[in-house]
Amino acid sequence: MTPQPPKAFWTRQARRGHSKRYGFVYIDRDEQDIRSLARIPKDSFYWYQNVIKTNGTEL
């Protein structure tokens, strides 16, 4: 079994009101206000995209 990255979208924690946000994409909302729900790639998104593109040669 190959290792898998964390889920790109971790919405379960957002629905339950958790403050920590994991994953590769930030979702524009907070615990009290849903806001725009825009998906904003984090730096880790671009890092992992490069890892895939280079087949793991650039970590």
Side-chain angles (χ1 to χ4, degrees), residues 5-53:
K7 286 191 155 212
F9 297 100
W10 201 262
T11 57
R12 187 177 83 206
Q13 67 190 12
R15 286 194 305 261
R16 292 185 179 181
H18 296 271
S19 60
K20 289 190 177 187
R21 309 264 176 106
Y22 301 101
F24 298 121
V25 179
Y26 171 77
I27 300 174
D28 184 28
R29 67 160 294 154
D30 63 20
E31 286 72 32
Q32 308 303 321
D33 184 14
I34 294 179
R35 298 188 185 170
S36 69
L37 296 177
R39 271 60 175 172
I40 303 164
K42 296 180 183 179
D43 291 342
S44 59
F45 173 87
Y46 297 108
W47 171 82
Y48 193 65
Q49 183 181 49
N50 189 53
V51 169
I52 293 169
K53 184 170 54 176

